[in-house]
Coordinates of all heavy atoms in Angstrom, one line a residue:
M5 N 3.8 -6.5 17.0 CA 3.1 -6.1 15.8 C 3.9 -5.4 14.9 O 5.0 -4.7 15.3 CB 1.9 -5.1 16.2 CG 1.1 -4.8 15.0 SD -0.4 -3.6 15.3 CE -1.1 -4.4 16.7
F6 N 3.7 -5.4 13.5 CA 4.5 -4.9 12.5 C 3.5 -4.1 11.5 O 2.4 -4.5 11.3 CB 5.2 -5.9 11.7 CG 6.0 -5.4 10.6 CD1 7.2 -4.8 10.8 CD2 5.5 -5.6 9.3 CE1 8.0 -4.3 9.7 CE2 6.3 -5.1 8.2 CZ 7.5 -4.5 8.4
V7 N 3.9 -2.9 11.1 CA 3.1 -2.1 10.3 C 3.8 -1.8 9.0 O 5.0 -1.3 9.0 CB 2.7 -0.7 11.0 CG1 1.8 0.1 10.0 CG2 2.0 -0.9 12.4
H8 N 3.1 -2.0 8.0 CA 3.6 -1.6 6.5 C 2.7 -0.5 6.1 O 1.5 -0.6 6.0 CB 3.4 -2.8 5.5 CG 3.9 -2.4 4.2 ND1 5.1 -2.4 3.7 CD2 3.0 -2.0 3.2 CE1 5.1 -2.1 2.4 NE2 3.8 -1.8 2.1
L9 N 3.4 0.6 5.9 CA 2.6 1.9 5.6 C 3.3 2.4 4.4 O 4.5 2.8 4.3 CB 2.8 2.9 6.8 CG 2.3 4.4 6.5 CD1 0.8 4.3 6.5 CD2 2.8 5.3 7.6
A10 N 2.5 2.7 3.3 CA 2.9 3.2 2.1 C 2.1 4.5 1.7 O 0.9 4.5 1.7 CB 2.8 2.2 0.9
I11 N 2.8 5.6 1.6 CA 2.1 6.9 1.1 C 2.5 7.1 -0.3 O 3.5 7.3 -0.7 CB 2.7 8.0 2.0 CG1 2.4 7.7 3.4 CG2 2.1 9.4 1.5 CD1 3.1 8.7 4.4
H12 N 1.4 7.1 -1.1 CA 1.4 7.3 -2.5 C 1.1 8.6 -3.0 O 0.3 9.3 -2.4 CB 0.5 6.3 -3.2 CG 0.8 4.8 -2.9 ND1 1.8 4.1 -3.6 CD2 0.4 4.1 -2.0 CE1 1.7 2.9 -3.1 NE2 0.9 2.8 -2.1
H13 N 1.7 9.0 -4.2 CA 1.5 10.4 -4.5 C 1.0 10.3 -6.1 O 1.8 10.5 -7.0 CB 3.0 11.2 -4.6 CG 3.6 11.2 -3.2 ND1 3.3 12.0 -2.2 CD2 4.4 10.2 -2.7 CE1 4.0 11.8 -1.2 NE2 4.7 10.6 -1.4
P14 N -0.2 10.0 -6.2 CA -0.8 9.8 -7.6 C -0.8 11.1 -8.4 O -1.1 12.2 -7.8 CB -2.2 9.2 -7.4 CG -2.5 9.7 -6.1 CD -1.3 9.8 -5.2
K15 N -0.7 11.0 -9.7 CA -1.1 12.1 -10.6 C -2.5 12.3 -10.4 O -3.2 11.1 -10.4 CB -0.7 11.8 -11.9 CG 0.8 11.8 -12.2 CD 1.4 11.5 -13.6 CE 2.8 11.5 -13.7 NZ 3.3 11.1 -15.0
P16 N -3.1 13.5 -10.3 CA -4.6 13.5 -10.3 C -5.4 12.8 -11.2 O -6.4 12.1 -10.8 CB -4.8 15.1 -10.4 CG -3.5 15.7 -10.0 CD -2.6 14.7 -10.5
E17 N -4.9 12.6 -12.4 CA -5.8 11.9 -13.5 C -5.7 10.4 -13.2 O -6.5 9.6 -13.9 CB -5.4 12.3 -14.8 CG -3.9 11.9 -15.3 CD -2.9 12.9 -14.9 OE1 -3.1 13.8 -14.0 OE2 -1.8 12.9 -15.5
H18 N -4.8 10.0 -12.4 CA -4.7 8.4 -12.1 C -4.9 8.0 -10.7 O -4.7 7.0 -10.3 CB -3.1 8.1 -12.5 CG -2.9 8.1 -14.0 ND1 -3.5 7.3 -14.9 CD2 -2.1 8.9 -14.6 CE1 -3.1 7.6 -16.0 NE2 -2.3 8.6 -16.0
T19 N -5.5 8.9 -9.9 CA -5.9 8.5 -8.6 C -6.7 7.3 -8.6 O -6.6 6.3 -7.8 CB -6.6 9.7 -7.8 OG1 -5.7 10.8 -7.8 CG2 -7.0 9.4 -6.4
D20 N -7.8 7.3 -9.3 CA -8.7 6.2 -9.4 C -7.9 4.7 -9.8 O -8.3 3.7 -9.2 CB -9.9 6.4 -10.2 CG -10.8 7.4 -9.7 OD1 -10.8 7.6 -8.4 OD2 -11.6 7.9 -10.4
D21 N -7.0 4.9 -10.9 CA -6.3 3.8 -11.2 C -5.4 3.2 -10.1 O -5.3 2.1 -9.8 CB -5.3 4.1 -12.3 CG -6.0 4.5 -13.6 OD1 -7.1 4.0 -13.9 OD2 -5.6 5.6 -14.2
L22 N -4.7 4.2 -9.3 CA -3.9 3.7 -8.2 C -4.7 3.1 -7.0 O -4.3 2.1 -6.4 CB -3.0 4.9 -7.7 CG -1.9 4.6 -6.6 CD1 -1.0 3.6 -7.1 CD2 -1.2 5.8 -6.3
L23 N -5.9 3.7 -6.8 CA -6.6 3.3 -5.7 C -7.3 1.8 -6.1 O -7.3 1.0 -5.2 CB -7.9 4.1 -5.5 CG -8.7 4.1 -4.3 CD1 -7.9 4.0 -3.0 CD2 -9.8 5.1 -4.2
A24 N -7.6 1.6 -7.4 CA -8.0 0.3 -7.8 C -6.8 -0.8 -7.6 O -7.0 -1.9 -7.1 CB -8.4 0.2 -9.2
S25 N -5.7 -0.2 -7.9 CA -4.5 -1.2 -7.7 C -4.2 -1.5 -6.2 O -3.9 -2.6 -5.8 CB -3.2 -0.4 -8.2 OG -2.0 -1.2 -7.9
M26 N -4.4 -0.5 -5.3 CA -4.3 -0.7 -4.0 C -5.4 -1.7 -3.4 O -5.1 -2.5 -2.6 CB -4.4 0.6 -3.1 CG -3.3 1.5 -3.5 SD -3.5 3.2 -2.8 CE -3.2 2.8 -1.0
H27 N -6.5 -1.6 -4.0 CA -7.7 -2.6 -3.6 C -7.3 -3.9 -4.1 O -7.6 -5.0 -3.4 CB -9.0 -2.2 -4.2 CG -9.5 -1.0 -3.5 ND1 -9.8 -0.9 -2.1 CD2 -9.9 0.2 -3.9 CE1 -10.3 0.2 -1.8 NE2 -10.4 1.0 -2.9
R28 N -6.5 -4.0 -5.3 CA -6.0 -5.5 -5.7 C -5.1 -6.0 -4.6 O -5.1 -7.3 -4.4 CB -5.5 -5.3 -7.1 CG -6.6 -5.2 -8.1 CD -6.0 -5.4 -9.5 NE -5.0 -4.5 -10.0 CZ -5.3 -3.3 -10.5 NH1 -6.6 -2.9 -10.5 NH2 -4.3 -2.5 -10.8
V29 N -4.2 -5.2 -4.2 CA -3.4 -5.7 -3.1 C -4.2 -6.0 -1.9 O -3.9 -7.2 -1.2 CB -2.3 -4.6 -2.7 CG1 -1.6 -4.8 -1.4 CG2 -1.4 -4.2 -3.9
D30 N -5.1 -5.3 -1.5 CA -5.9 -5.7 -0.4 C -6.7 -7.0 -0.6 O -6.5 -7.9 0.3 CB -7.0 -4.7 -0.1 CG -6.5 -3.2 0.4 OD1 -5.4 -3.2 0.7 OD2 -7.4 -2.3 0.4
D31 N -7.1 -7.3 -1.8 CA -7.8 -8.5 -2.1 C -6.8 -9.7 -2.0 O -7.1 -10.7 -1.5 CB -8.5 -8.5 -3.3 CG -9.8 -7.6 -3.4 OD1 -10.3 -7.2 -2.3 OD2 -10.1 -7.2 -4.5
A32 N -5.6 -9.5 -2.6 CA -4.6 -10.5 -2.7 C -4.0 -10.9 -1.3 O -3.7 -12.1 -1.0 CB -3.4 -10.1 -3.5
A33 N -4.1 -10.0 -0.4 CA -3.7 -10.3 1.0 C -4.7 -11.0 1.9 O -4.3 -11.5 2.9 CB -3.3 -8.9 1.7
Q34 N -5.9 -11.0 1.5 CA -7.0 -11.7 2.3 C -6.6 -13.0 2.7 O -6.2 -13.8 1.8 CB -8.3 -11.6 1.7 CG -8.8 -10.2 1.6 CD -8.8 -9.4 2.8 OE1 -9.3 -9.8 3.9 NE2 -8.2 -8.1 2.8
G35 N -6.6 -13.4 3.9 CA -6.4 -14.8 4.4 C -4.9 -15.1 4.6 O -4.5 -16.2 5.0
A36 N -4.0 -14.1 4.3 CA -2.6 -14.3 4.6 C -2.3 -14.5 6.2 O -2.8 -13.8 6.9 CB -1.8 -13.0 4.1
P37 N -1.6 -15.6 6.3 CA -1.2 -15.8 7.8 C -0.5 -14.6 8.4 O 0.4 -14.0 7.9 CB -0.3 -17.0 7.7 CG -0.5 -17.6 6.4 CD -0.9 -16.5 5.5
G38 N -1.1 -14.3 9.6 CA -0.5 -13.1 10.3 C -1.1 -11.7 10.0 O -0.7 -10.8 10.6
L39 N -1.9 -11.6 9.0 CA -2.5 -10.4 8.6 C -3.5 -10.0 9.6 O -4.4 -10.8 9.8 CB -3.0 -10.3 7.2 CG -3.7 -9.1 6.7 CD1 -2.7 -7.9 6.7 CD2 -4.3 -9.3 5.5
I40 N -3.4 -8.8 10.2 CA -4.5 -8.4 11.1 C -5.6 -7.4 10.5 O -6.7 -7.7 10.5 CB -3.9 -7.6 12.4 CG1 -2.9 -8.5 13.2 CG2 -5.0 -6.9 13.1 CD1 -2.0 -7.8 14.1
Q41 N -5.1 -6.5 9.6 CA -5.9 -5.6 8.9 C -5.1 -5.0 7.8 O -3.9 -4.7 7.9 CB -6.4 -4.5 10.0 CG -7.3 -3.5 9.3 CD -7.8 -2.5 10.2 OE1 -7.4 -2.6 11.4 NE2 -8.6 -1.5 9.8
I42 N -5.8 -4.7 6.6 CA -5.2 -4.0 5.5 C -6.2 -3.1 4.9 O -7.4 -3.5 4.9 CB -4.6 -5.0 4.5 CG1 -3.8 -4.3 3.5 CG2 -5.7 -5.9 3.9 CD1 -2.9 -5.3 2.6
G43 N -5.8 -1.9 4.3 CA -6.8 -1.1 3.7 C -6.1 0.1 3.1 O -4.9 0.4 3.3
A44 N -6.8 0.6 2.2 CA -6.3 1.8 1.3 C -7.2 3.1 2.0 O -8.4 2.9 2.1 CB -6.7 1.7 -0.2
W45 N -6.5 4.2 2.1 CA -7.0 5.3 2.7 C -6.7 6.5 1.8 O -5.6 6.5 1.1 CB -6.4 5.6 4.1 CG -6.7 4.5 5.0 CD1 -6.0 3.3 5.1 CD2 -7.7 4.4 6.0 NE1 -6.6 2.5 6.1 CE2 -7.5 3.2 6.6 CE3 -8.6 5.3 6.4 CZ2 -8.3 2.8 7.6 CZ3 -9.5 4.8 7.5 CH2 -9.4 3.6 8.1
R46 N -7.6 7.5 1.7 CA -7.5 8.7 1.0 C -7.2 9.9 2.0 O -8.1 10.0 3.0 CB -8.6 9.0 0.1 CG -8.4 10.2 -0.7 CD -9.7 10.5 -1.6 NE -10.2 9.4 -2.3 CZ -10.2 9.2 -3.6 NH1 -9.5 10.1 -4.3 NH2 -10.7 8.2 -4.1
D47 N -6.1 10.6 1.8 CA -5.9 11.8 2.8 C -6.9 12.9 2.4 O -7.0 13.2 1.2 CB -4.5 12.2 2.7 CG -4.1 13.4 3.6 OD1 -4.3 13.2 4.8 OD2 -3.9 14.5 3.1
Q48 N -7.5 13.5 3.4 CA -8.6 14.5 3.0 C -8.0 15.9 2.7 O -8.6 16.8 2.2 CB -9.5 14.7 4.3 CG -10.4 13.5 4.5 CD -11.3 13.8 5.6 OE1 -11.1 14.5 6.6 NE2 -12.4 13.0 5.8
R49 N -6.6 16.0 3.0 CA -6.1 17.3 2.9 C -5.1 17.3 1.6 O -4.5 18.4 1.4 CB -5.3 17.7 4.2 CG -6.2 17.9 5.3 CD -5.5 18.4 6.6 NE -4.6 17.2 6.8 CZ -3.4 17.4 7.5 NH1 -3.1 18.6 8.1 NH2 -2.6 16.4 7.9
S50 N -4.9 16.3 1.0 CA -4.1 16.2 -0.2 C -4.6 15.2 -1.2 O -5.5 14.6 -0.9 CB -2.6 15.9 0.3 OG -2.6 14.6 0.7
D51 N -3.7 15.0 -2.2 CA -4.1 13.9 -3.1 C -3.5 12.6 -2.9 O -3.6 11.8 -3.6 CB -3.6 14.4 -4.6 CG -4.3 15.5 -5.1 OD1 -5.4 15.8 -4.8 OD2 -3.7 16.3 -5.9
R52 N -2.8 12.5 -1.7 CA -2.1 11.3 -1.3 C -3.1 10.2 -0.9 O -4.1 10.4 -0.4 CB -1.2 11.6 -0.1 CG 0.0 12.5 -0.6 CD 0.9 12.8 0.6 NE 0.1 13.7 1.4 CZ 0.7 14.3 2.4 NH1 1.9 14.2 2.8 NH2 0.0 15.2 3.3
L53 N -2.6 8.9 -1.3 CA -3.3 7.7 -0.9 C -2.3 6.9 0.0 O -1.2 6.9 -0.2 CB -3.7 6.9 -2.1 CG -4.5 7.5 -3.2 CD1 -4.7 6.6 -4.4 CD2 -5.9 7.8 -2.6
V54 N -2.9 6.4 1.0 CA -2.2 5.6 2.1 C -2.6 4.2 2.1 O -3.8 3.8 2.2 CB -2.4 6.3 3.4 CG1 -1.5 5.5 4.5 CG2 -1.9 7.9 3.4
G55 N -1.6 3.2 2.0 CA -1.9 1.9 2.3 C -1.4 1.5 3.6 O -0.2 1.8 3.9
L56 N -2.2 0.9 4.4 CA -1.8 0.6 5.7 C -2.2 -0.9 6.0 O -3.3 -1.3 5.8 CB -2.7 1.5 6.8 CG -2.5 1.2 8.2 CD1 -1.1 1.5 8.7 CD2 -3.6 2.0 8.9
A57 N -1.2 -1.6 6.5 CA -1.3 -3.1 6.8 C -0.8 -3.4 8.2 O 0.4 -3.0 8.4 CB -0.7 -3.9 5.7
L58 N -1.6 -4.0 9.0 CA -1.1 -4.3 10.4 C -0.9 -5.9 10.3 O -1.8 -6.7 9.9 CB -2.1 -4.0 11.3 CG -2.7 -2.5 11.4 CD1 -3.6 -2.3 12.5 CD2 -1.5 -1.5 11.7
W59 N 0.2 -6.3 10.8 CA 0.6 -7.7 10.7 C 1.0 -8.1 12.2 O 1.5 -7.4 13.0 CB 1.9 -7.9 9.9 CG 1.6 -7.7 8.4 CD1 1.5 -6.6 7.8 CD2 1.2 -8.7 7.5 NE1 1.2 -6.7 6.4 CE2 1.0 -8.1 6.2 CE3 1.1 -10.1 7.5 CZ2 0.7 -8.8 5.2 CZ3 0.7 -10.8 6.3 CH2 0.4 -10.1 5.2
E60 N 0.9 -9.4 12.5 CA 1.3 -9.9 13.8 C 2.8 -9.8 14.0 O 3.3 -9.6 15.0 CB 0.9 -11.4 13.9 CG -0.5 -11.6 14.0 CD -0.9 -13.0 14.1 OE1 -0.2 -14.0 14.0 OE2 -2.2 -13.3 14.2
S61 N 3.6 -9.9 12.9 CA 5.1 -9.8 12.9 C 5.6 -9.4 11.6 O 5.0 -9.6 10.6 CB 5.7 -11.2 13.3 OG 5.4 -12.2 12.4
Q62 N 6.9 -9.0 11.6 CA 7.5 -8.6 10.4 C 7.8 -9.9 9.6 O 7.7 -9.9 8.4 CB 8.9 -8.0 10.7 CG 9.7 -7.5 9.5 CD 10.9 -6.7 9.8 OE1 11.2 -6.4 11.0 NE2 11.6 -6.3 8.8
E63 N 7.9 -11.1 10.3 CA 8.2 -12.3 9.6 C 6.9 -12.7 8.8 O 7.1 -13.2 7.7 CB 8.6 -13.4 10.5 CG 9.9 -13.2 11.3 CD 9.9 -12.0 12.3 OE1 8.9 -11.7 12.9 OE2 11.2 -11.6 12.7
A64 N 5.7 -12.5 9.4 CA 4.6 -12.9 8.6 C 4.4 -12.0 7.3 O 4.0 -12.5 6.4 CB 3.3 -12.6 9.6
F65 N 4.7 -10.7 7.5 CA 4.7 -9.8 6.4 C 5.7 -10.3 5.3 O 5.2 -10.4 4.1 CB 5.0 -8.4 6.8 CG 5.3 -7.5 5.6 CD1 4.2 -7.0 4.8 CD2 6.6 -7.0 5.3 CE1 4.5 -6.3 3.7 CE2 6.9 -6.3 4.2 CZ 5.8 -5.9 3.5
Q66 N 6.9 -10.5 5.7 CA 7.8 -10.9 4.7 C 7.4 -12.2 4.1 O 7.9 -12.4 2.8 CB 9.2 -11.0 5.4 CG 9.8 -9.6 5.8 CD 11.1 -9.8 6.6 OE1 11.3 -10.8 7.3 NE2 11.8 -8.7 6.5
A67 N 7.0 -13.1 4.7 CA 6.5 -14.5 4.2 C 5.5 -14.3 3.1 O 5.4 -15.1 2.2 CB 6.0 -15.4 5.2
S68 N 4.6 -13.3 3.2 CA 3.5 -13.1 2.2 C 3.7 -12.0 1.2 O 2.9 -12.0 0.1 CB 2.2 -12.8 3.0 OG 1.8 -14.0 3.8
A69 N 4.6 -11.0 1.5 CA 4.7 -9.9 0.7 C 4.9 -10.1 -0.8 O 4.2 -9.5 -1.6 CB 5.8 -9.0 1.2
D70 N 5.8 -11.0 -1.2 CA 6.1 -11.2 -2.6 C 4.8 -11.7 -3.4 O 4.4 -11.2 -4.5 CB 7.2 -12.3 -2.8 CG 8.6 -11.7 -2.5 OD1 8.7 -10.4 -2.5 OD2 9.5 -12.6 -2.4
Q71 N 4.0 -12.7 -2.8 CA 2.9 -13.2 -3.3 C 1.7 -12.1 -3.4 O 1.2 -11.9 -4.4 CB 2.3 -14.3 -2.5 CG 1.0 -14.9 -3.1 CD 0.6 -16.2 -2.2 OE1 1.3 -16.7 -1.6 NE2 -0.7 -16.4 -2.5
I72 N 1.6 -11.2 -2.4 CA 0.6 -10.2 -2.3 C 0.9 -9.2 -3.5 O 0.0 -8.8 -4.2 CB 0.5 -9.6 -0.9 CG1 0.0 -10.6 0.1 CG2 -0.2 -8.3 -1.0 CD1 0.2 -10.1 1.5
F73 N 2.1 -8.7 -3.5 CA 2.4 -7.6 -4.5 C 2.5 -8.1 -5.9 O 2.7 -7.3 -6.8 CB 3.6 -6.9 -3.9 CG 3.4 -6.0 -2.7 CD1 4.0 -6.4 -1.5 CD2 2.6 -4.9 -2.7 CE1 3.8 -5.6 -0.4 CE2 2.3 -4.2 -1.6 CZ 2.9 -4.6 -0.5
Q74 N 2.6 -9.4 -6.1 CA 2.5 -9.9 -7.5 C 1.3 -9.5 -8.2 O 1.3 -9.4 -9.4 CB 2.7 -11.5 -7.4 CG 2.9 -12.0 -8.7 CD 4.3 -11.7 -9.3 OE1 5.3 -11.4 -8.5 NE2 4.4 -11.5 -10.6
A75 N 0.2 -9.2 -7.3 CA -1.1 -8.9 -8.0 C -1.1 -7.5 -8.7 O -1.9 -7.3 -9.6 CB -2.2 -8.8 -6.8
V76 N -0.1 -6.7 -8.4 CA 0.1 -5.4 -9.1 C 1.5 -5.3 -9.8 O 1.8 -4.1 -10.1 CB -0.2 -4.3 -8.0 CG1 -1.6 -4.4 -7.6 CG2 0.7 -4.3 -6.9
A77 N 2.2 -6.3 -10.0 CA 3.5 -6.3 -10.6 C 3.6 -5.6 -11.9 O 4.5 -4.9 -12.2 CB 4.2 -7.7 -10.6
D78 N 2.5 -5.7 -12.7 CA 2.5 -5.1 -14.0 C 1.8 -3.8 -14.0 O 1.6 -3.2 -15.2 CB 1.8 -6.1 -15.0 CG 2.6 -7.3 -15.1 OD1 3.8 -7.3 -15.1 OD2 2.0 -8.4 -15.3
D79 N 1.4 -3.1 -12.9 CA 0.8 -2.0 -13.0 C 1.7 -0.8 -13.2 O 2.9 -0.9 -12.8 CB 0.1 -1.6 -11.6 CG -1.2 -2.4 -11.4 OD1 -1.5 -3.2 -12.3 OD2 -1.8 -2.3 -10.3
P80 N 1.4 0.2 -14.0 CA 2.4 1.2 -14.5 C 2.5 2.4 -13.5 O 2.2 3.5 -13.7 CB 1.8 1.7 -15.8 CG 0.2 1.5 -15.6 CD 0.2 0.3 -14.8
F81 N 3.1 2.0 -12.3 CA 3.2 3.0 -11.3 C 4.1 4.3 -11.7 O 3.7 5.4 -11.3 CB 3.9 2.4 -10.0 CG 3.0 1.4 -9.5 CD1 3.4 0.0 -9.5 CD2 1.8 1.6 -8.7 CE1 2.6 -1.0 -9.0 CE2 1.0 0.7 -8.3 CZ 1.4 -0.6 -8.2
D82 N 5.0 4.1 -12.5 CA 5.8 5.2 -13.1 C 5.0 6.1 -13.9 O 5.2 7.3 -13.9 CB 7.0 4.7 -13.9 CG 6.6 3.9 -15.1 OD1 5.5 3.2 -15.0 OD2 7.3 3.8 -16.0
Q83 N 3.9 5.7 -14.4 CA 3.0 6.7 -15.2 C 1.9 7.2 -14.3 O 1.5 8.3 -14.6 CB 2.3 5.8 -16.3 CG 3.3 5.4 -17.4 CD 2.6 4.4 -18.4 OE1 1.5 4.5 -18.6 NE2 3.4 3.6 -19.1
W84 N 1.5 6.5 -13.3 CA 0.4 6.9 -12.4 C 0.9 7.8 -11.2 O 0.0 8.6 -10.7 CB -0.2 5.7 -11.8 CG -1.0 4.8 -12.6 CD1 -1.4 5.0 -13.9 CD2 -1.5 3.5 -12.4 NE1 -2.0 3.9 -14.5 CE2 -2.1 3.0 -13.6 CE3 -1.4 2.7 -11.2 CZ2 -2.7 1.7 -13.6 CZ3 -2.0 1.4 -11.1 CH2 -2.7 1.0 -12.4
C85 N 2.2 7.8 -10.9 CA 2.5 8.6 -9.6 C 3.5 9.6 -10.0 O 4.3 9.6 -10.9 CB 3.3 7.6 -8.8 SG 2.0 6.2 -8.2
E86 N 3.5 10.7 -9.2 CA 4.3 11.8 -9.2 C 5.8 11.5 -8.8 O 6.8 12.0 -9.3 CB 3.9 13.0 -8.4 CG 2.5 13.6 -8.8 CD 2.6 14.4 -10.0 OE1 3.7 14.8 -10.4 OE2 1.5 14.8 -10.5
Q87 N 5.8 10.5 -8.0 CA 7.1 10.1 -7.3 C 6.9 8.7 -6.7 O 5.7 8.3 -6.5 CB 7.6 11.0 -6.3 CG 6.8 11.2 -5.0 CD 7.0 12.2 -4.1 OE1 7.1 13.4 -4.5 NE2 7.4 11.9 -2.9
P88 N 7.9 8.0 -6.4 CA 7.8 6.7 -5.7 C 7.2 6.9 -4.4 O 7.3 7.9 -3.8 CB 9.3 6.2 -5.6 CG 10.0 6.9 -6.7 CD 9.4 8.2 -6.8
P89 N 6.4 5.8 -3.9 CA 5.8 5.9 -2.6 C 6.8 6.1 -1.4 O 8.0 5.5 -1.5 CB 5.0 4.6 -2.5 CG 5.8 3.7 -3.5 CD 6.4 4.5 -4.5
D90 N 6.5 6.6 -0.5 CA 7.2 6.7 0.8 C 6.8 5.4 1.7 O 5.5 5.3 1.9 CB 7.0 7.9 1.7 CG 7.2 9.2 0.9 OD1 8.4 9.3 0.4 OD2 6.5 10.2 1.0
V91 N 7.6 4.5 1.9 CA 7.3 3.2 2.4 C 7.9 3.1 3.9 O 9.1 3.4 4.0 CB 7.7 2.1 1.6 CG1 7.3 0.7 2.4 CG2 7.0 2.1 0.2
F92 N 7.1 2.8 4.8 CA 7.6 2.7 6.2 C 7.4 1.3 6.7 O 6.2 0.9 6.5 CB 7.0 3.7 7.2 CG 7.2 5.2 6.8 CD1 6.3 5.8 5.8 CD2 8.3 5.9 7.1 CE1 6.5 7.1 5.4 CE2 8.4 7.2 6.8 CZ 7.6 7.9 5.9
H93 N 8.3 0.7 7.5 CA 8.1 -0.5 8.2 C 8.2 -0.2 9.6 O 9.3 0.1 10.0 CB 9.1 -1.5 7.7 CG 8.8 -2.1 6.3 ND1 9.7 -2.8 5.6 CD2 7.7 -1.9 5.5 CE1 9.2 -3.1 4.4 NE2 8.0 -2.6 4.3
L94 N 7.1 -0.3 10.4 CA 7.1 0.3 11.7 C 6.9 -0.8 12.8 O 6.2 -1.8 12.5 CB 5.9 1.2 11.8 CG 5.8 2.3 10.9 CD1 4.5 3.1 11.1 CD2 7.0 3.3 10.9
T95 N 7.8 -0.7 13.7 CA 7.7 -1.6 14.9 C 7.7 -0.7 16.2 O 8.2 0.4 16.2 CB 8.8 -2.5 15.1 OG1 10.1 -1.8 15.1 CG2 8.9 -3.6 13.8
K96 N 7.1 -1.2 17.3 CA 7.2 -0.3 18.4 C 8.6 -0.6 19.2 O 9.1 -1.8 19.2 CB 6.1 -0.9 19.5 CG 4.8 -0.3 19.1 CD 3.8 -0.6 20.3 CE 2.5 0.2 19.9 NZ 1.7 0.2 21.1
P97 N 9.2 0.4 19.7 CA 10.4 0.3 20.2 C 10.3 -0.3 21.6 O 9.4 -0.5 22.3 CB 10.9 1.7 20.5 CG 9.8 2.6 20.3 CD 8.7 1.8 19.6

């Protein structure tokens, strides 16, 4: 299994914009070969938003990532976010 985890730091006035963008990614990923689960989450203790995607393999993620993220390629993340997201690619040791 492979996990793509992105922790976003939206400006408070753009939280809804960023969340909508994350949902567009979720929609674009539907039906991708090897995708197990994908979703956007809101941290209850902060303003952070978390994107979590579980894949059968890193290869499956890599084969679909460009197409999936094309759905939000024109979104103004530099205006919506306090800083770039923290992105993790996780595998079990």
Side-chain angles (χ1 to χ4, degrees):
M5 183 182 309
F6 177 77
V7 178
H8 174 83
L9 175 72
I11 301 172
H12 298 275
H13 309 271
K15 295 177 182 176
E17 66 271 22
H18 291 293
T19 298
D20 290 340
D21 296 319
L22 186 56
L23 194 54
S25 176
M26 294 171 75
H27 287 302
R28 286 193 295 280
V29 168
D30 296 350
D31 291 343
Q34 295 308 309
L39 178 65
I40 298 169
Q41 182 178 356
I42 190 168
W45 301 80
R46 186 185 308 253
D47 181 63
Q48 291 181 341
R49 297 179 299 155
S50 71
D51 293 330
R52 291 176 290 193
L53 299 174
V54 177
L56 176 66
L58 306 176
W59 293 84
E60 291 177 359
S61 67
Q62 184 171 359
E63 293 78 18
F65 167 75
Q66 290 172 336
S68 296
D70 287 343
Q71 180 180 342
I72 291 168
F73 291 111
Q74 193 64 31
V76 295
D78 294 328
D79 287 359
F81 297 109
D82 59 329
Q83 296 173 23
W84 292 349
C85 299
E86 298 284 350
Q87 66 188 58
D90 300 313
V91 179
F92 301 90
H93 288 167
L94 307 174
T95 57
K96 283 193 171 189

